[in-house]
């Protein structure tokens, strides 16, 4: 079971990194967050219920680890962030035009408030249902639906403004 757990965890690393990136807004912070979360998961693997999906357990560990880090940082000063356009993790474009649109979309997503962008990425990119996202983020289902709607509406508005400004 330990080998299966480790193999499943390794296979999940790109998804964890994407999720961590949505929380941290920084490539280096995301990598550190994933590393810390994996260490916690490995040291507490006996607490994981194999009847439950490993990804939900890991996403919750990542989220809780980030919350702890934010609390620690609240007393620190001078922590900078890497601009969102420096990451290429979510892009897979075929043409230069597609790449520019994907880069703009990613920037718009990362410019949303964290509670909107993290939920939007969990549902739209990671494929979680609204109910699963509610459990993952420990918020009511109605709040998930409201935040996803608001995030999509803001993205649509911002993207139409960006497109409209170019024409």
């Amino acid at each position: 079971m330990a080998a299966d757990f480790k193999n499943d965890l390794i296979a999940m690393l790109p998804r964890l990194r994407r999720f961590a990136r949505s929380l941290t807004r920084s490539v280096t912070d995301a990598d550190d967050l994933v590393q810390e979360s994996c260490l916690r998961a490995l040291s507490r693997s006996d607490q994981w219920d194999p009847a439950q999906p490993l990804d939900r357990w890991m996403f919750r560990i990542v989220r809780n680890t980030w919350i702890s880090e934010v609390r620690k940082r609240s007393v620190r000063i001078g922590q900078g962030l890497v601009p969102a356009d420096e990451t290429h993790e979510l892009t897979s474009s075929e043409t230069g035009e597609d790449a520019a649109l994907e880069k703009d979309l990613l920037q718009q997503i990362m410019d949303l408030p964290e509670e909107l962008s993290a939920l939007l990425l969990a549902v739209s990119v990671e494929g979680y249902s609204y109910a699963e996202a509610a459990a993952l983020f420990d918020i009511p289902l109605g709040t998930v639906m409201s935040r996803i709607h608001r995030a999509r509406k803001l993205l649509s508005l911002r993207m139409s403004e960006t497109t409209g400004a170019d024409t």
Side-chain angles (χ1 to χ4, degrees):
M1 162 140 139
D4 288 340
F5 178 84
K6 289 179 185 177
N7 290 336
D8 291 345
L9 186 59
I10 290 169
M12 195 182 309
L13 287 176
R15 293 178 62 208
L16 293 175
R17 189 167 186 259
R18 249 191 331 262
F19 181 65
R21 176 71 179 88
S22 76
L23 295 173
T24 66
R25 314 277 200 231
S26 165
V27 174
T28 55
D29 284 346
D31 289 341
D32 291 344
L33 177 59
V34 169
Q35 181 178 1
E36 178 66 26
S37 299
C38 287
L39 287 172
R40 285 185 185 188
L42 289 169
S43 69
R44 299 173 184 160
S45 62
D46 59 317
Q47 295 176 5
W48 173 59
D49 177 8
Q52 298 297 319
L54 179 61
D55 60 349
R56 284 191 214 157
W57 188 65
M58 283 304 304
F59 274 60
R60 183 160 289 203
I61 290 174
V62 170
R63 181 176 167 267
N64 290 342
T65 302
W66 179 242
I67 289 169
S68 296
E69 179 61 26
V70 167
R71 287 180 182 148
K72 287 180 203 173
R73 288 183 181 188
S74 67
V75 295
R76 297 183 200 157
I77 299 174
Q79 294 292 325
L81 298 177
V82 175
D85 60 354
E86 289 184 16
T87 183
H88 304 287
E89 196 166 337
L90 297 177
T91 61
S92 61
S93 56
E94 296 295 322
T95 67
E97 185 177 330
D98 289 343
L101 288 172
E102 289 173 358
K103 183 178 179 182
D104 188 39
L105 177 60
L106 178 61
Q107 180 64 49
Q108 295 293 341
I109 291 171
M110 298 315 283
D111 286 344
L112 291 172
E114 179 184 321
E115 70 271 4
L116 299 181
S117 65
L119 267 173
L120 184 64
L121 289 172
V123 170
S124 299
V125 175
E126 296 301 331
Y128 285 106
S129 70
Y130 285 7
E132 291 169 332
L136 178 67
F137 287 91
D138 197 26
I139 57 177
L141 179 61
T143 302
V144 171
M145 295 185 330
S146 173
R147 288 181 183 174
I148 294 291
H149 175 76
R150 191 171 47 183
R152 287 179 176 156
K153 193 171 184 176
L154 278 170
L155 272 179
S156 176
L157 178 65
R158 289 178 180 181
M159 292 301 287
S160 67
E161 286 174 355
T162 302
T163 306
D166 294 340
T167 58

